[in-house]
């Protein structure tokens, strides 16, 4: 039989369960300053919309901006973690 090659886990958690590296990278990217300000802007919009009884405002633009930032950040590292 061939020798097995061990891969260093790209993203480790405290448990032995498999963890989706994309999920972990998204959380890390959300905390980076360039994305954190967009996350804060989305949260502010959500609070504003929830506080109103009748509103036509949506947070669509804020969602798009935040996910664009996070996905752009994740894309730099994600494929390094895949086998």
């Amino acid at each position: 039989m061939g020798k097995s090659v061990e891969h260093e886990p790209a993203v480790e958690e405290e448990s032995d369960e498999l963890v989706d590296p994309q999920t972990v990278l998204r959380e890390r990217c959300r905390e980076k300053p360039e994305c954190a300000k967009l996350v804060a802007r989305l949260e502010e919009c959500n609070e504003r919309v929830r506080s109103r009884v009748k509103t036509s405002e949506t947070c669509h633009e804020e969602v798009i901006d935040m996910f664009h930032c996070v996905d752009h950040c994740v894309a730099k590292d994600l494929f390094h973690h895949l086998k």
Side-chain angles (χ1 to χ4, degrees):
M1 296 206 146
K3 186 177 179 181
S4 67
V5 177
E6 295 217 15
H7 295 281
E8 182 178 338
V11 180
E12 290 186 33
E13 287 288 318
E14 292 180 16
S15 67
D16 291 333
E17 295 180 27
L18 291 176
V19 177
D20 183 355
Q22 183 178 21
T23 302
V24 175
L25 289 171
R26 278 186 172 163
E27 288 302 316
R28 288 181 187 165
C29 286
R30 287 173 62 106
E31 296 171 1
K32 291 192 176 194
E34 60 272 17
C35 294
K37 68 180 182 181
L38 296 170
V39 170
R41 193 177 299 157
L42 174 60
E43 289 170 356
E44 289 171 12
C45 180
N46 283 332
E47 288 175 20
R48 191 172 54 249
V49 169
R50 281 191 217 118
S51 70
R52 297 180 182 156
V53 177
K54 290 186 176 184
T55 183
S56 61
E57 181 180 14
T58 66
C59 299
H60 181 77
E61 182 177 335
E62 289 82 354
V63 169
I64 297 298
D65 291 344
M66 188 270 300
F67 274 112
H68 176 77
C69 183
V70 170
D71 288 346
H72 181 49
C73 173
V74 168
K76 296 175 189 174
D77 296 322
L78 181 61
F79 290 102
H80 297 290
H81 298 283
L82 302 177
K83 292 181 182 180

